[in-house]
Amino acid sequence: MEVMQVLHMNKGEGETSYAKNSTLQRKIISLANSITEEAVVGILCNNFPDSLGIADLGCSSGPNALTVISEIIDIVQATSFRLGRPIPEFRVSLNDLPCNDFNDLFESLPEFYNKLKREKGGGFDRLHWLSQCLALPLTSYSYKQVPPALDSKARTPLNRGKLYISKTSPHCVLEAYLSQFEKDLFLFLKSRSEEMVPGGRMVLSFMGRRSVDPSAEESCYHWELLARALMSMASEGLVEEEKIDSFNAPYYAPCPEELKSVVKTEGSFVVDQLETFEIDWDGGVSSNSISEAHKTDLEKFSSGQRVAKTIRAVVESMLESHFGKQIMDDLFYSFV
Ligand SMILES: C[S@@+](CC[C@H](N)C(=O)[O-])C[C@H]1O[C@@H](n2cnc3c(N)ncnc32)[C@H](O)[C@@H]1O
């Protein structure tokens, strides 16, 4: 089955849900805040609009889903005030894959509206939810197609015992992933260029790497750990090794040079700002400095457990559709 048809962040509000295990992504949103702010101010100062189209591409569900939109509304409100202009009308589009937990998202909308009214006044009654011309698309690390050369239906597996690029992967695997990334990003940029208004800006967040080497640990480590955990389960007869050989992550962590090169080749956009951040996989949450009574659910776990929970909330749906539900608990316990 196509990954895009099964992929979703873990639904609901349970222990393994994305809602409860997305502190890492929350941190990334706040690290990117100054870049988002510059983009919004740039749009407003260039040609102040009556109506501002914003699209969160890959909004997911849980507490992060409306955070970026809420922060943008704050920035627009403050900038409009500073420029002595009335706050523009907002047209907000929330976009994700079909299996996303949209129920959770819809259920959070009334509280979101109420909060806007409480905190920002009645002028927000006219918040519309439709998409036409976009001034500000935002996207966070969308999934890629699996390179066709590595597709499980393809002949001999090229990347044995691995789920993604690794130090032992043959060069053709690295090339296949890069080429797929280039195609996907090219198409993404071309599509956005047709939807955006002149003078619009786009904020993109990627899981990336600083090194030019695509097999550098910084970008492959979590897939490497998962592959090791699965291979160890295979040695106990809990998973078939062929299953591991035939899984290829629909993922690519580009380096800045690769990104800039596709933007240049596609030609519709220029890169205003490109920043790289290093972030701990456990979301940088400290469990030592807080008293037991004040800890959130996630803070009660060890760093290793938090990393496993963060990764599980994101990749479980795609691993489950390939390896089966029955091994998921064991896999993520052995992953710690
Ligand atoms: C790691 S989550 C980030 C969610 C949220 N923006 C946050 O910061 O917490 C990435 C989201 O992008 C969505 N996504 C991935 N590929 C996508 C695509 N091609 N089109 C739409 N959504 C996509 C996933 O379903 C997932 O909800």
Side-chain angles (χ1 to χ4, degrees):
M1 195 183 288
E2 272 273 318
V3 179
M4 301 294 164
Q5 284 161 8
V6 291
L7 179 70
H8 58 81
M9 303 301 99
N10 278 357
K11 299 183 184 193
E13 310 230 313
E15 216 207 297
T16 60
S17 64
Y18 186 72
K20 286 252 168 74
N21 297 288
S22 45
T23 311
L24 170 83
Q25 292 82 350
R26 177 72 195 85
K27 187 97 185 258
I28 295 169
I29 293 173
S30 61
L31 283 171
N33 209 358
S34 61
I35 295 178
T36 310
E37 178 163 3
E38 263 187 55
V40 174
V41 172
I43 292 167
L44 299 183
C45 291
N46 176 36
N47 184 8
F48 199 94
D50 295 331
S51 157
L52 187 68
I54 310 169
D56 188 347
L57 309 172
C59 59
S60 195
S61 57
N64 293 353
L66 295 163
T67 302
V68 187
I69 300 300
S70 176
E71 285 174 358
I72 290 172
I73 290 174
D74 284 343
I75 300 165
V76 173
Q77 193 176 29
T79 312
S80 307
F81 183 73
R82 193 160 50 78
L83 298 175
R85 306 289 301 252
I87 298 166
E89 173 189 70
F90 292 96
R91 286 171 291 107
V92 178
S93 303
L94 297 172
N95 162 274
D96 209 290
L97 294 170
C99 291
N100 183 50
D101 193 351
F102 285 107
N103 283 342
D104 173 275
L105 189 56
F106 287 134
E107 278 167 23
S108 63
L109 288 178
E111 175 48 26
F112 180 67
Y113 281 124
N114 289 338
K115 193 160 170 272
L116 284 182
K117 275 196 210 164
R118 259 193 331 267
E119 293 175 5
K120 307 183 202 308
F124 285 88
D125 283 351
R126 293 184 58 239
L127 199 69
H128 296 306
W129 300 85
L130 51 88
S131 158
Q132 261 175 4
C133 42
L134 296 175
L136 183 64
L138 311 139
T139 186
S140 21
Y141 20 90
S142 73
Y143 284 85
K144 312 288 170 283
Q145 309 286 336
V146 174
L150 305 181
D151 196 305
S152 58
K153 293 179 276 309
R155 322 135 276 146
T156 332
L158 294 171
N159 204 17
R160 281 190 190 280
K162 302 293 175 193
L163 308 175
Y164 176 61
I165 293 171
S166 121
K167 286 280 175 215
T168 58
S169 301
H171 196 67
C172 62
V173 170
L174 278 52
E175 277 174 353
Y177 266 109
L178 173 59
S179 152
Q180 191 61 48
F181 163 76
E182 290 170 341
K183 277 191 203 129
D184 288 347
L185 183 59
F186 188 98
L187 183 63
F188 175 86
L189 295 173
K190 190 167 168 359
S191 309
R192 300 296 81 76
S193 75
E194 286 162 16
E195 296 156 1
M196 284 176 65
V197 294
R201 310 269 177 119
M202 182 151 63
V203 180
L204 308 178
S205 323
F206 292 87
M207 302 289 288
R209 60 179 211 275
R210 286 181 168 147
S211 163
V212 290
D213 173 11
S215 68
E217 196 174 78
E218 57 176 330
S219 60
C220 308
Y221 193 53
H222 58 297
W223 290 111
E224 191 66 40
L225 289 181
L226 276 167
R228 274 187 222 161
L230 280 162
M231 285 302 277
S232 145
M233 290 174 81
S235 68
E236 294 169 39
L238 300 171
V239 185
E240 289 167 37
E241 227 173 292
E242 299 74 56
K243 278 263 169 204
I244 304 171
D245 295 344
S246 62
F247 182 91
N248 295 287
Y251 172 88
Y252 188 73
C255 66
E257 292 73 21
E258 289 167 349
L259 263 176
K260 285 194 251 179
S261 159
V262 183
V263 174
K264 194 166 170 214
T265 309
E266 196 279 328
S268 304
F269 295 90
V270 285
V271 178
D272 268 349
Q273 259 198 77
L274 194 155
E275 281 193 37
T276 57
F277 306 102
E278 218 167 278
I279 188 154
D280 290 335
W281 270 99
D282 67 357
V285 181
S286 163
S287 41
N288 301 328
S289 53
I290 316 162
S291 73
E292 271 311 311
H294 290 99
K295 283 181 179 174
T296 63
D297 286 352
L298 200 58
E299 285 157 356
K300 292 182 185 130
F301 293 95
S302 70
S303 171
Q305 286 169 322
R306 287 196 300 271
V307 175
K309 285 162 77 56
T310 300
I311 291 175
R312 181 173 187 167
V314 175
V315 303
E316 184 168 9
S317 63
M318 57 179 131
L319 294 180
E320 188 180 301
S321 82
H322 187 84
F323 293 101
K325 193 177 178 57
Q326 67 285 0
I327 67 153
M328 290 298 119
D329 283 345
D330 284 349
L331 172 62
F332 287 99
Y333 287 134
S334 62
F335 182 80
V336 176

